[in-house]
Amino acid sequence: MKLVVALGGNALGRRDAPKGRDVEFWRESVRAAAPIVARLAASRDVVVTHGNGPQVGLLALQAAGHGDRVPLDVLGAESEGMLGYLIERELRTALGDRDVAALLTQVLVRPDDPAFAAPTKPIGPVVSAEEAERLAAARGWTYGPTAAGLRRLVPSPMPCAVLERSTIRLLMRLGVVVVCAGGGGIPVAEAPDGTLHGVEAVVDKDASSALVATDVGAERLLLLTNVPAVYADWPTAREPIESASPRALAALGFEEGSMAPKVEAACRFVKQTGGTAHIGALEDAVRMLSGKAGTRIEPGNGPVVSAGG
């Protein structure tokens, strides 16, 4: 079985992490995740993707604190390399003699994507209203409310193509566990003359994970986060959804910048491939594959089935 495992950025780092260095926390989070991914990879061909929302936002703040203006595509590459290194190192320990390779991944986006006019992707830590106002005035950044509080919002264009998809498929054929599309990949656009240039955006990790899963012919897509399931009544969170079809989920509303991108990416993968997608907590990943945890999105027109009835 081919499986894409997407580790959510908030599962690998706190939204409210201090603005200083928090690498040790990320290292500990990756170390906790590695044995779970190793169990998934024991008898499967696995690709690991990961988020970078907390990390890329902190890197941007650190650069701003030194008076530097570092574009988001470069910060995305920096965070992808940093987290990819930590994941690769811990997976090598957990997997023994299995080869692991972290791959810097460029993702093609359209320069005219409407997302550039409406920033919705939260990155970085929660800040006070006063600090948001100061940073918005000093840096031209956009801040907005999220479930956790005020966070920086950036454009999140739809990924059109993973430029390293052939390399990912080659590595998989060689039995390598591939770590790629970190933070959704490095966003690039194509100029009329065919040259590539970075863009000021952060691509949604779940959308890119679904694209990677489609490209490699995966049968399953696991979108792992810090909540146990998709909830029909969030934020009261009393009704976890056990299973549903894309059509049934389309009738429900989910929070932008949080669960909505996961649901949309999962549904897109299921509709395009006929595979099965799962959304749930990192620690439940193995149980999710057997249908004993999380939310399962399956092909067809089945209704929303809540856990326990």
Side-chain angles (χ1 to χ4, degrees):
M1 175 192 292
K2 292 180 181 177
L3 173 66
V4 171
V5 180
L7 302 174
N10 292 321
L12 296 178
R14 303 185 296 256
R15 287 191 185 107
D16 59 347
K19 290 179 206 167
R21 283 74 175 164
D22 203 33
V23 174
E24 186 56 38
F25 178 85
W26 301 334
R27 183 184 294 116
E28 292 172 1
S29 299
V30 170
R31 187 170 294 146
I36 298 172
V37 177
R39 288 182 64 188
L40 295 170
S43 58
R44 303 174 182 91
D45 296 321
V46 168
V47 173
V48 180
T49 65
H50 60 87
N52 74 341
Q55 294 81 10
V56 74
L58 287 171
L59 290 173
L61 282 171
Q62 289 172 12
H66 290 88
D68 299 328
R69 290 187 177 271
V70 184
L72 275 176
D73 63 303
V74 174
L75 291 173
E78 185 178 348
S79 63
E80 183 178 10
M82 175 179 65
L83 286 170
Y85 155 64
L86 294 176
I87 294 169
E88 179 180 1
R89 193 181 69 184
E90 296 303 326
L91 278 181
R92 280 186 176 274
T93 300
L95 287 167
D97 59 356
R98 186 87 174 267
D99 285 333
V100 183
L103 180 67
L104 283 179
T105 314
Q106 299 174 93
V107 175
L108 190 68
V109 302
R110 288 175 32 236
D112 60 349
D113 191 302
F116 288 108
T120 59
K121 178 71 172 175
I123 64 171
V126 173
V127 300
S128 66
E130 293 77 13
E131 188 167 11
E133 184 176 356
R134 179 184 66 81
L135 288 166
R139 312 297 294 189
W141 293 350
T142 299
Y143 280 84
T146 70
L150 280 175
R151 296 178 72 192
R152 183 184 173 190
L153 302 178
V154 301
S156 184
M158 184 62 63
C160 300
V162 176
L163 297 188
E164 286 75 20
R165 57 189 178 275
S166 295
T167 305
I168 297 169
R169 289 194 291 257
L170 173 61
L171 289 169
M172 290 185 73
R173 287 197 297 271
L174 296 173
V176 178
V177 175
V178 185
V179 183
C180 65
I186 305 161
V188 297
E190 189 173 15
D193 63 359
T195 59
L196 297 173
H197 58 89
V199 297
E200 194 71 2
V202 171
V203 179
D204 181 70
K205 173 265 305 174
D206 298 307
S208 291
S209 298
L211 188 55
V212 169
T214 301
D215 283 343
V216 303
E219 290 90 355
R220 301 283 188 100
L221 169 64
L222 265 67
L223 302 177
L224 304 178
T225 184
N226 55 356
V227 295
V230 178
Y231 290 85
D233 59 345
W234 185 267
T236 57
R238 291 189 300 265
E239 294 290 336
I241 296 173
E242 183 177 281
S243 65
S245 64
R247 181 176 181 180
L249 287 175
L252 304 177
F254 300 97
E255 182 186 9
E256 290 295 331
S258 179
M259 189 54 73
K262 289 179 173 53
V263 171
E264 291 166 6
C267 291
R268 190 178 308 114
F269 167 75
V270 171
K271 288 190 289 187
Q272 290 181 349
T273 69
T276 300
H278 305 260
I279 301 174
L282 170 65
E283 58 269 22
D284 292 333
V286 176
R287 296 175 61 237
M288 287 164 60
L289 280 183
S290 60
K292 297 178 180 178
T295 297
R296 185 174 66 256
I297 299 98
E298 300 174 304
N301 296 313
V304 170
V305 177
S306 296

